Amino acid sequence: MTKSEFVDQVASRASLDKKQASDAVDAVLDTIQEALERGSDVTFSGFGKFSVAERGARQGVHPRTGEPINIAASKVPRFSAGSGLKKAVNA
């Protein structure tokens, strides 16, 4: 499902026009992104949890040359599915 298809679904379920639904979806995504940038977790009970994880520095291999390279430490977003979402997917 693309973002535009998602916006269409939100608009029909919430009885909104597409502009309002698009603004609502953008607001939710922006809020989640800003919380993660601050290092906060975002939890929706029964749905899941968005968080930030630390990925340590490590050695890698350059795919063309086979030379070893150093990969810097970084932060990555993570999503853990909640029990309600897991049950819905497996039903």
Side-chain angles (χ1 to χ4, degrees):
M1 175 181 288
T2 65
K3 184 179 176 183
S4 63
E5 292 170 338
F6 184 76
V7 168
D8 291 342
Q9 290 288 321
V10 170
S12 67
R13 289 180 185 218
S15 300
L16 300 171
D17 63 36
K18 288 186 183 181
K19 173 67 173 143
Q20 291 172 323
S22 178
D23 290 345
V25 168
D26 287 341
V28 168
L29 296 177
D30 289 344
T31 303
I32 292 170
Q33 180 177 330
E34 290 169 4
L36 293 177
E37 287 173 355
R38 290 191 312 267
S40 299
D41 293 342
V42 179
T43 304
F44 297 103
S45 296
F47 182 76
K49 177 180 174 181
F50 295 92
S51 61
V52 176
E54 300 283 336
R55 182 179 285 169
R58 61 194 189 280
Q59 285 283 327
V61 178
H62 190 286
R64 285 191 183 170
T65 64
E67 303 262 335
I69 56 173
N70 293 321
I71 300 172
S74 63
K75 294 180 182 180
V76 293
R78 295 266 165 93
F79 177 75
S80 300
S83 60
L85 180 60
K86 288 179 185 178
K87 286 179 185 176
V89 170
N90 287 316

